[in-house]
Amino acid sequence: MASSTVTSSQSERPPRPNLAFRQLRGRRSPAEFAALVRRAAREIGERVSCDARYVGRVEAGEIRCPNYAYERVFLHMFPGRTLTDLGFAPRSSVRGRAARTAADAPETLIIVGRQGAGETPGAFEPYDTPDVQDPHEPYAKDHLNHEESDVLRRAFMTGGGATMAAATLSPLGLTTDAAAAVRSARRPGSPEAAALEEAVRRIRLLDDRHGADGLYRRAAAPLRAAYALLDAGATRQTTADRLHSGAGELAISVGWLAHDSGRFDDARSHYAEALATARMTGDPALEAHAFCNTAFLARDAGRPREAVRAAQAAQRAARPVGSDRLMSLLALREAGGWAGLADRTGCEQALARAHALFGRGRTDADPEWMSFYGEAELEGLEAQCWSTLGDWRRASRHARRAAHLQDPHFTRNIALYTAELADDLAREGRPDEAAAAGLQVLSLLDQVQSSRIQGMLAGTARVLLPHRRASGVSEFLERHASVPRTGRA
């Protein structure tokens, strides 16, 4: 993404809340609404970096008029309405504010705006909440640091629209010049924190679409940059907190890429790194997330008792967060551990808690990273529990529902749930249906690269070998044998 550096004087009057926009959000959480904005942008070929914080700033009136890309997205979402109907000020009333240069404005307030690739420059829209710099802080007066921020931003966030995830993510890798910029930056500020947060979102988006194989090695470079920023130290505590949280979330994201591509030892190391960061900064949400993924990893690695303990630790850490959806997911992680221990009663009790908590709905306290956790994921994780317990009929029923309910955007999850369905059907003794589901997964492998999914298909193929004469089974086995295996890039 490109970046532009502008300065601004203090607003002449405090912002007026955008009540019209808040009303349009309805009962959705800011994170949930932001996901709808990003989805609408994709529908019309735009790319906007919208998150819960952006939605909050619009509703608070801090963004009086969106740039042209956001304008097109909002008008697409709410056809027949104008920007004024959405609570924004006329563009003519805010034009010209971005034209001021650094020489025309006070040095004590530096705002770095971000403009997504494909967005048309328009009225000034400072995406990031600025840090009002102390005039005695070196970073505030060193305008060369804007160039360093630009290098970091490109290193973290530049990405094209390539269909292959590896090609899209490769610009996130640090170049030698970018690494030098990290080392030489005197004090990281809001631009670096925002770049780090955006790197986490981009990696998650790419994983949702394409799976982990091919992404893991490239994602390690932004993680090294993140911890280099922590070593450099931020003067402002708010910025330091954002950097620590962002680095921890990035460690979890990179750990998940390792996890999903079968690198369990690497994943364990990254999750432990995130957990240490959470403990060091007293961040309960990050701690809960790290334990959540640790529990999932332990289950997959054949350590079910550790999975139960980690899930329970995650639930203790998550209580102050106040998110029922988070507690629901953590109960599912515990259920997976109990299933691995062949404790059907413990599993059923944890599943009951997960459903009850899920039924309470979303709230503003739900962490941003949980955008993937909807009814489809609930069904998919429950299917895995019943499969582990050997109840193939119940497992296939939930896996089928998961695949049916999944948002088309989450291509990897559709492939995952359908692969789960194929395996459950095969073990249930329904080879023709299993082959049909397996063929659906094979048709998605040109978009999704996941060792986990390939491993599941390989298991299904072994189960179906004695049933070659059943309808569709031979075709599935032949196509599966012809698919190249994903390497650990």
Side-chain angles (χ1 to χ4, degrees):
M1 291 184 183
S3 66
S4 57
T5 304
V6 297
T7 58
S8 173
S9 59
Q10 297 286 353
S11 176
E12 297 177 359
R13 62 178 182 271
R16 180 179 301 172
N18 187 337
L19 300 180
F21 198 87
R22 173 63 186 90
Q23 185 175 12
L24 290 171
R25 175 161 68 87
R27 300 182 64 180
R28 302 182 186 92
S29 71
E32 189 175 7
F33 188 78
L36 293 179
V37 173
R38 296 193 299 271
R39 186 184 309 165
R42 291 191 296 272
E43 290 173 356
I44 60 173
E46 288 289 355
R47 293 175 62 237
V48 296
S49 301
C50 187
D51 62 3
R53 188 157 55 91
Y54 178 87
V55 173
R57 296 188 65 243
V58 170
E59 293 177 359
E62 296 177 26
I63 296 176
R64 294 177 58 202
C65 187
N67 68 18
Y68 288 115
Y70 274 104
E71 176 182 356
R72 286 190 289 273
V73 174
F74 292 148
L75 297 184
H76 170 68
M77 292 177 69
F78 306 106
R81 300 177 189 254
T82 65
L83 283 181
T84 305
D85 295 333
L86 301 181
F88 293 108
R91 192 170 296 284
S92 59
S93 69
V94 295
R95 293 287 297 185
R97 294 179 63 198
R100 302 182 61 187
T101 65
D104 299 325
E107 288 185 321
T108 55
L109 181 60
I110 300 173
I111 301 176
V112 179
R114 289 197 310 216
Q115 188 173 305
E119 294 182 2
T120 306
F124 174 54
E125 179 209 322
Y127 179 89
D128 300 310
T129 304
D131 279 347
V132 180
Q133 306 279 359
D134 186 329
H136 299 292
E137 182 181 337
Y139 186 85
K141 293 189 177 182
D142 185 359
H143 296 293
L144 292 178
N145 275 316
H146 300 322
E147 297 178 8
E148 293 174 352
S149 298
D150 228 15
V151 174
L152 283 168
R153 189 177 303 287
R154 287 195 298 272
F156 276 121
M157 296 190 299
T158 300
T163 55
M164 290 304 294
T168 310
L169 187 58
S170 59
L172 291 174
L174 280 178
T175 63
T176 302
D177 291 342
V182 173
R183 290 193 296 270
S184 63
R186 297 181 186 177
R187 283 290 187 269
S190 287
E192 287 74 27
L196 175 53
E197 292 160 354
E198 185 64 21
V200 175
R201 296 186 191 103
R202 185 172 293 277
I203 288 172
R204 288 173 182 159
L205 176 64
L206 291 170
D207 177 53
D208 290 340
R209 291 177 177 173
H210 305 290
D213 290 3
L215 304 185
Y216 172 59
R217 295 301 182 193
R218 293 173 178 85
L223 183 59
R224 289 194 296 271
Y227 280 94
L229 290 173
L230 294 184
D231 289 340
T235 298
R236 293 193 160 278
Q237 187 60 47
T238 53
T239 301
D241 290 344
R242 286 178 65 190
L243 287 171
H244 278 89
S245 177
E249 290 293 344
L250 186 57
I252 292 173
S253 292
V254 175
W256 166 248
L257 295 178
H259 180 172
D260 195 41
S261 56
R263 302 172 176 90
F264 287 179
D265 289 342
D266 288 356
R268 189 179 181 88
S269 176
H270 288 305
Y271 293 159
E273 192 170 33
L275 181 59
T277 301
R279 290 280 180 83
M280 182 172 59
T281 57
D283 187 336
L286 179 60
E287 181 176 348
H289 193 184
F291 270 128
C292 175
N293 279 43
T294 299
F296 198 11
L297 175 65
R299 189 208 70 170
D300 285 354
R303 299 191 299 269
R305 197 169 300 282
E306 179 184 331
V308 171
R309 291 198 302 267
Q312 291 172 343
Q315 290 170 76
R316 290 193 296 271
R319 288 189 186 107
V321 178
S323 167
D324 291 323
R325 282 292 168 93
L326 175 57
M327 295 297 287
S328 172
L329 176 60
L330 298 177
L332 281 170
R333 296 287 187 242
E334 183 181 342
W338 289 123
L341 290 169
D343 187 334
R344 190 182 185 98
T345 299
C347 180
E348 289 178 337
Q349 290 174 347
L351 286 173
R353 290 203 313 275
H355 279 277
L357 289 162
F358 186 90
R360 296 179 184 177
R362 299 185 182 274
T363 68
D364 291 348
D366 298 340
E368 181 182 345
W369 61 266
M370 288 192 64
S371 59
F372 76 95
Y373 183 53
E375 190 175 0
E377 182 71 5
L378 174 66
E379 292 288 338
L381 291 176
E382 181 165 358
Q384 292 174 13
C385 290
W386 294 120
S387 179
T388 302
L389 289 168
D391 191 335
W392 313 118
R393 183 180 299 277
R394 188 173 292 188
S396 63
R397 184 170 70 246
H398 286 283
R400 193 186 300 278
R401 288 202 65 207
H404 175 73
L405 290 168
Q406 183 58 67
D407 186 321
H409 163 67
F410 292 93
T411 310
R412 176 200 168 275
N413 280 3
I414 292 176
L416 175 67
Y417 302 148
T418 309
E420 173 73 33
L421 173 62
D423 197 60
D424 293 334
L425 289 169
R427 296 174 190 277
E428 188 185 345
R430 298 158 70 180
D432 51 344
E433 294 179 61
L439 287 169
Q440 291 178 37
V441 180
L442 289 173
S443 69
L444 294 173
L445 291 187
D446 59 337
Q447 305 174 52
V448 176
Q449 297 180 14
S450 169
S451 294
R452 171 193 297 273
I453 294 172
Q454 288 196 349
M456 294 171 69
L457 284 179
T460 302
R462 287 192 295 271
V463 175
L464 290 178
L465 274 174
H467 305 279
R468 282 184 175 274
R469 295 184 179 181
S471 175
V473 172
S474 180
E475 180 186 358
F476 166 72
L477 292 174
E478 290 173 3
R479 284 188 55 186
H480 176 261
S482 67
V483 172
R485 298 298 177 259
T486 303
R488 291 187 175 188

